[in-house]
């Protein structure tokens, strides 16, 4: 093979991290399996890893590798079969006037301020609530794959950009889009920014004529992660096979 982008997954090595405190289930410890070397995880290979249940955090590509727990299930939405429910339709109509700006990954104080406010309001008990600018940059703004930063702002299309309401980080894959992280303005009462972001990403996958939106991990016992079950149909990677995810 003469080109790096011809490398198969078996050209990588995988190591298990030491145990750490689980971010989602109380009194649990967790471990991750990390793909190395990270500089070889280019866009094509990364797509294969995502399809095998991996996610990306900055330059690191990982998946859960816990000793006694299998609660994390990788998920994806087959977009051509997805039909929004009544609540999701309302959320899409409610925020349809937001301006969207698709950008390359970049740092701004405005983005970081929104991120910090979001963490303090929604994840005040988590480690990311203490992220400084460097940690924020390492987490969301470093990538070796085809990543984009999407701004959602007030104001009708064509008008001057209004107040920043939400930011989504996404990865473009051959099979669709991987939703990396979204943070938004929590001060707007009765807003459904998170739901709107997922619906917007589903529409982008359709426009790209690709099959899947990868949503990350579903954890039934975690309220922070269980929201994914509201988007149906949804598939989970169970016993190394993508299949319908049966949720309550």
């Amino acid at each position: 093979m003469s080109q790096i982008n011809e490398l198969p997954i078996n050209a990588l090595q995988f190591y298990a991290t030491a145990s750490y405190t689980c971010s989602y289930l109380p009194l649990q410890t967790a471990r991750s399996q990390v793909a190395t070397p990270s500089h070889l995880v280019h866009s094509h290979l990364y797509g294969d890893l995502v399809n095998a249940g991996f996610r990306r955090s900055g330059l690191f590509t990982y998946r859960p590798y816990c000793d006694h727990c299998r609660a994390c299930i990788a998920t994806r939405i087959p977009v051509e079969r997805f039909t929004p429910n009544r609540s999701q339709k309302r959320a899409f109509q409610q925020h349809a006037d937001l301006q969207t700006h698709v950008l390359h990954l970049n740092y701004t104080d405005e983005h970081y301020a929104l991120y910090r406010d979001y963490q303090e309001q929604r994840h005040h008990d988590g480690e990311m609530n203490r992220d400084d600018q460097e940690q924020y940059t390492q987490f969301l703004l470093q990538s070796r794959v085809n990543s984009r930063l999407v701004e959602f702002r007030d104001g009708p299309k064509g008008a001057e950009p209004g107040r920043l309401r939400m930011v989504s980080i996404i990865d473009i894959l051959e099979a669709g889009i991987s939703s990396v992280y979204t943070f938004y303005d929590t001060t707007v009462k009765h807003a459904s920014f998170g739901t709107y972001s997922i619906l917007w990403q589903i529409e982008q996958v359709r426009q790209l004529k690709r099959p899947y939106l990868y949503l990350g991990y579903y954890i039934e016992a975690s309220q922070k992660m269980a929201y994914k079950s509201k988007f149906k149909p949804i598939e989970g990677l169970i016993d190394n096979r993508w299949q319908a995810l049966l949720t309550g």
Side-chain angles (χ1 to χ4, degrees):
M1 296 182 182
S2 60
Q3 301 295 323
I4 285 180
N5 61 10
E6 295 174 359
L7 288 169
I9 282 182
N10 59 16
L12 298 174
Q13 295 182 339
F14 300 88
Y15 75 89
T17 68
S19 297
Y20 54 89
T21 301
C22 179
S23 300
Y24 302 105
L25 299 178
L27 306 179
Q28 293 275 11
T29 58
R31 290 204 301 164
S32 296
Q33 185 182 52
V34 180
T36 60
S38 61
H39 71 271
L40 292 185
V41 182
H42 53 76
S43 292
H44 176 74
L45 197 54
Y46 176 64
D48 291 341
L49 289 167
V50 169
N51 203 52
F54 283 78
R55 296 280 289 164
R56 184 178 65 78
S57 177
L59 300 179
F60 295 95
T61 306
Y62 71 95
R63 66 181 174 186
Y65 197 68
C66 301
D67 295 320
H68 306 292
C69 180
R70 297 294 181 269
C72 294
I73 301 174
T75 61
R76 69 185 187 186
I77 296 174
V79 299
E80 288 306 315
R81 294 193 287 120
F82 170 76
T83 301
N85 60 30
R86 185 176 303 174
S87 174
Q88 290 161 355
K89 288 179 180 178
R90 286 199 300 268
F92 193 83
Q93 293 171 354
Q94 178 184 4
H95 300 301
D97 287 339
L98 287 174
Q99 297 180 356
T100 57
H101 305 273
V102 181
L103 310 169
H104 292 288
L105 301 184
N106 70 97
Y107 174 86
T108 72
D109 289 337
E110 184 183 27
H111 295 164
Y112 177 61
L114 183 65
Y115 174 81
R116 284 300 309 271
D117 288 344
Y118 174 79
Q119 295 298 337
E120 289 174 5
Q121 294 299 318
R122 294 301 171 93
H123 302 288
H124 58 86
D125 56 342
E127 293 183 359
M128 291 189 299
N129 184 40
R130 298 183 291 272
D131 280 0
D132 57 23
Q133 293 181 17
E134 182 179 358
Q135 291 168 312
Y136 162 77
T137 298
Q138 291 175 350
F139 172 41
L140 292 179
L141 304 183
Q142 293 187 355
S143 172
R144 290 192 175 96
V145 299
N146 188 9
S147 303
R148 295 290 184 272
L149 183 151
V150 187
E151 289 184 344
F152 297 83
R153 293 181 176 273
D154 283 340
K157 295 175 177 60
E160 287 295 316
R163 179 172 175 174
L164 180 68
R165 294 300 185 185
M166 179 165 59
V167 171
S168 290
I169 309 296
I170 60 175
D171 294 335
I172 313 300
L173 313 174
E174 292 181 6
I177 288 175
S178 176
S179 184
V180 177
Y181 199 75
T182 293
F183 53 95
Y184 50 82
D185 186 346
T186 62
T187 66
V188 182
K189 293 183 178 180
H190 309 300
S192 300
F193 291 129
T195 297
Y196 179 77
S197 170
I198 293 174
L199 297 172
W200 183 88
Q201 291 176 48
I202 288 172
E203 184 57 32
Q204 300 310 300
V205 176
R206 285 176 172 158
Q207 291 185 20
L208 290 169
K209 301 186 185 304
R210 300 178 189 183
Y212 301 113
L213 173 64
Y214 293 86
L215 273 186
Y217 301 116
Y218 168 78
I219 304 174
E220 185 176 17
S222 171
Q223 185 177 3
K224 292 179 180 179
M225 305 293 274
Y227 70 90
K228 299 176 176 71
S229 65
K230 297 178 182 179
F231 295 84
K232 299 180 184 291
I234 188 167
E235 297 176 348
L237 186 62
I238 303 170
D239 297 329
N240 296 317
R241 182 171 66 89
W242 287 102
Q243 53 191 288
L245 182 64
L246 302 178
T247 61

